Every structure is written in C-alpha cells, then in structure tokens.
Amino acid sequence: MLQVAELNQYYGGSHILRGLSFDVKSGEITCLLGRNGVGKSTLLRCLMGLLPAKSGEIRWQGKAINALKPHQRVQAGIAYVPQGREIFPRLTVEENLLMGLARFAGSEAKKVPEEIYQLFPVLRDMKARRGGDLSGGQQQQLAIGRALACRPQLLILDEPTEGIQPSVIKEIGAVIRQLAQRGDMAILLVEQFYDFAAELADSYLVMSRGEIVQRGRGAAMEQDNVRRLVAI
Ligand code: ATP
Ligand code: MG
C-alpha cells in the first residue's frame, strides 16, 4: 500500500501541492481526477522522486521512500507511465520493452515477459517496428507494457486516454481492470476522462488547486456528482 501524508510542493513561490494525504490500496484502482493544471502530474513526479517533495511523507509497503532516487523506487516495485507516454521513438517496440527490464540482472533482463504480449498482442505483432512509427494508442500500450515489464506492485498512470481513439481506450481499460483483479497490484490512475475513470475506479480522489477536495468509493461517483467537479 502507498500512503501519502501532508505532501507539499512548490514551483518557485507558488504552492502547487497543498498538504495532500491519501492511500492507494493493493488490488484496487484509485482514480485521481482533476482539471488541467491542478497539480496531478506534479504529484506523480513527487511520488516517483523526479521532483523532491518539499515536505510530507510518502510511505510504500510500510517504509518512507522520500529519500529514494527514481530508479530505487522502480526497484522497490513502483512503475510510472508518464503523461505523453515518453517512449523511445528510434528504438524498436521490443527494445522499448527491454528498457523496462533494466531493474533485473542476467537472463531475466534480456527477454520480454510473455505476459506483456498477452496483455497487448499488438506489441507482439509490431515488436520489430520503431516506437515512433506506432499510432498514439499503440504508443500508449507500449508505455504501459514497458512499465509492467518490471513487474511492479504499484502502477501509476498519468492520463493514459489523452488523445487516444475509443477502441484503444477500451483495450487499455480492460488491461487495467485485469491487472487490478489479480489482487496484488495497487493502481493509481490519473484521469480527466470521467466515464473511463468512473468505470474503473474502486475509489476516487478529486483534486482542485493542489488540494484533495472530495473523495469516496468508485461506485458512488455518480451520486457524489463527481462529473460536475471535473467537467471542463
Ligand atoms: P494537466 O491535466 O494539464 O496535465 P496537471 O494537473 O497535471 O495538469 P501539473 O502539470 O501538475 O498539472 O501542473 C500544476 C501547476 O504547476 C500548473 O499551474 C503548471 O502551470 C505549473 N507547473 C508545472 N510544471 C512546472 C514547472 N516545471 N515549473 C513551474 N511551474 C510548473
Ligand atoms: Mg498532467
């Protein structure tokens, strides 16, 4: 389980994350919703250690991880799919996936786990193609596949549906659901696409101007009027 307590972050003089506290439980999908610019990606960057948290505590599996570098957090079982995907456009699909195995040593680091291709068959079909030649949706699947290659126990996704066609959004949703149902992975999904979030969320958090302004169970999102809080 991930536990965040009283997290604060600033860009220069502006207070971007304001005392955030929440948990992300194993076997559950926690959806974090919020409009543009409220601080969602900044929060994820703090969780990954790409930005040091100014104050507050981030605990993972019972231990504070504030002092860990990003690669150490990956080694601790945390995987991150950044907004905009950030795949390597000039490497092949297979090479991109192998990058996700960097935390393993020896033969384990040299072969893409079969499971990744089972979850995303399109990546098997395209494994010799350059990442940059894939469609946006395929690149998103590649970015998720690369994150899963390190067998994380916490998967963090930043707006995976952004700019992606509906058929691929459905496939990505099915994979996220399947991963959660295995029961051993915690998933933190940042989204602005309300319907996608509402379909997947076991629990939800709504962020506004750096604060969590509402939270609850996923099944209650409609009656809690969450749509109103994120509609643009
Ligand atoms: P979006 O939904 O558009 O991705 P977000 O919720 O992820 O938005 P952030 O990217 O976390 O929002 O940005 C939060 C605030 O911090 C915004 O006002 C943004 O302009 C500002 N910001 C983001 N990155 C930086 C930076 N490197 N330096 C200064 N300000 C930044
Ligand atoms: Mg963002």
Side-chain angles (χ1 to χ4, degrees), residues 183-220:
D184 55 357
M185 191 186 285
I187 299 175
L188 175 59
L189 172 64
V190 164
E191 261 305 332
Q192 285 199 64
F193 180 12
Y194 175 84
D195 291 331
F196 184 77
E199 210 172 292
L200 289 171
D202 293 301
S203 67
Y204 77 86
L205 306 161
V206 180
M207 209 170 143
S208 176
R209 292 193 201 153
E211 289 178 289
I212 291 172
V213 294
Q214 194 167 312
R215 64 181 86 207
R217 298 306 296 168

Side-chain angles (χ1 to χ4, degrees), residues 11 16 34-43 83 159 192:
Y11 283 130
I16 302 292
R35 294 183 176 130
N36 287 115
V38 299
K40 304 181 298 295
S41 297
T42 302
L43 167 64
Q83 189 168 14
E159 301 204 36
Q192 285 199 64

Side-chain angles (χ1 to χ4, degrees), residues 29 58 109 175:
I29 302 171
I58 303 169
V175 166

Side-chain angles (χ1 to χ4, degrees), residues 52-86:
K54 190 79 179 173
S55 67
E57 192 170 55
I58 303 169
R59 294 180 80 80
W60 168 236
Q61 295 177 332
K63 290 192 197 104
I65 59 166
N66 294 57
L68 298 188
K69 296 265 182 325
H71 73 273
Q72 294 172 310
R73 299 191 199 199
V74 174
Q75 274 163 355
I78 305 177
Y80 170 53
V81 182
Q83 189 168 14
R85 314 184 271 274
E86 296 181 17

Side-chain angles (χ1 to χ4, degrees), residues 58-188:
I58 303 169
R59 294 180 80 80
W60 168 236
Q61 295 177 332
K63 290 192 197 104
I65 59 166
N66 294 57
L68 298 188
K69 296 265 182 325
H71 73 273
Q72 294 172 310
R73 299 191 199 199
V74 174
Q75 274 163 355
I78 305 177
Y80 170 53
V81 182
Q83 189 168 14
R85 314 184 271 274
E86 296 181 17
I87 56 141
F88 301 101
R90 300 181 66 83
L91 299 185
T92 66
V93 166
E94 187 174 25
E95 287 164 346
N96 267 279
L97 291 171
L98 289 172
M99 287 295 198
L101 294 168
R103 83 161 161 133
F104 299 116
S107 59
E108 230 185 341
K110 296 194 180 78
K111 195 174 178 300
V112 175
E114 191 55 30
E115 190 206 353
I116 306 296
Y117 291 135
Q118 279 163 6
L119 288 170
F120 297 112
V122 68
L123 299 181
R124 191 203 314 270
D125 301 340
M126 302 230 163
K127 71 180 173 190
R129 300 272 283 275
R130 282 189 188 199
D133 292 339
L134 305 190
S135 72
Q138 291 163 344
Q139 288 184 8
Q140 186 63 259
Q141 290 170 299
L142 175 57
I144 298 170
R146 184 179 61 186
L148 291 173
C150 72
R151 286 191 224 109
Q153 288 98 53
L154 170 61
L155 178 65
I156 297 176
L157 303 131
D158 198 350
E159 301 204 36
T161 67
E162 196 178 26
I164 298 209
Q165 67 190 70
S167 65
V168 181
I169 290 179
K170 257 200 182 135
E171 286 174 35
I172 290 173
V175 166
I176 294 173
R177 166 63 62 212
Q178 202 179 322
L179 293 169
Q181 278 169 350
R182 294 197 319 211
D184 55 357
M185 191 186 285
I187 299 175
L188 175 59

